[in-house]
């Protein structure tokens, strides 16, 4: 995988993270293929971009306000085949509060499969795992 592809993938991950933090789920969804799979840390499995976006819209406003604390960084990018890459990210969400619970520092790893589609990289699959 060449340096430009890696740079483009990092840019996709950065932009998608910024949109997620802003809770612009429609914008965030544009970084996924139409048939994208997303497995949430809770075990929910969405099998299309539309279901993924809708599922991520269904969160309480109290959680949306907390997204400003969320960060995600690319840890590794590996080419699987021409136009296909595996990306691992680590995320941190300090002071996350669920209704009726004490604040907790959350963190996790997301494994992404990204594909080159019409000259741009899109997320085809994501699997989010909490580690804390």
């Amino acid at each position: 995988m060449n340096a430009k592809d890696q740079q483009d993938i990092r840019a996709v991950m950065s932009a998608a993270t910024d949109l997620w933090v802003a809770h612009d789920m429609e914008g965030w969804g544009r970084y996924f293929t139409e048939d994208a799979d997303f497995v949430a840390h809770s075990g929910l499995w969405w099998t299309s971009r539309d279901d993924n976006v809708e599922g991520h819209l269904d969160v309480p406003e109290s959680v949306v306000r907390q997204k400003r604390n969320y960060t995600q960084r690319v840890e590794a990018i590996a080419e699987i085949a021409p136009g296909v890459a595996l990306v691992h990210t680590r995320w941190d969400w300090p002071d996350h509060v669920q209704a009726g619970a004490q604040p907790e520092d959350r963190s996790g790893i997301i494994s992404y499969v990204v594909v080159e589609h019409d000259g741009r990289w899109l997320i085809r699959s994501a699997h989010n795992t909490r580690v804390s």
Side-chain angles (χ1 to χ4, degrees), residues 8-79:
D8 291 349
I9 290 168
R10 286 180 185 280
V12 164
M13 302 313 300
S14 179
T17 299
D18 289 348
L19 290 163
W20 193 87
V21 168
H23 201 64
D24 179 351
M25 305 310 342
E26 294 299 323
W28 179 74
R30 287 191 286 274
Y31 285 92
F32 289 80
T33 62
E34 288 183 30
D35 59 347
D37 287 289
F38 193 106
V39 178
H41 70 82
S42 63
L44 290 172
W45 180 11
W46 296 294
T47 58
S48 73
R49 174 175 46 209
D50 291 342
D51 288 347
N52 179 26
V53 168
E54 186 175 320
H56 280 91
L57 280 170
D58 187 26
V59 296
E61 181 59 34
S62 62
V63 173
V64 171
R65 285 192 306 271
Q66 295 175 61
K67 284 185 169 189
R68 69 184 178 279
N69 295 333
Y70 180 93
T71 60
Q72 181 176 213
R73 65 194 174 281
V74 173
E75 293 288 327
I77 301 172
E79 184 176 43

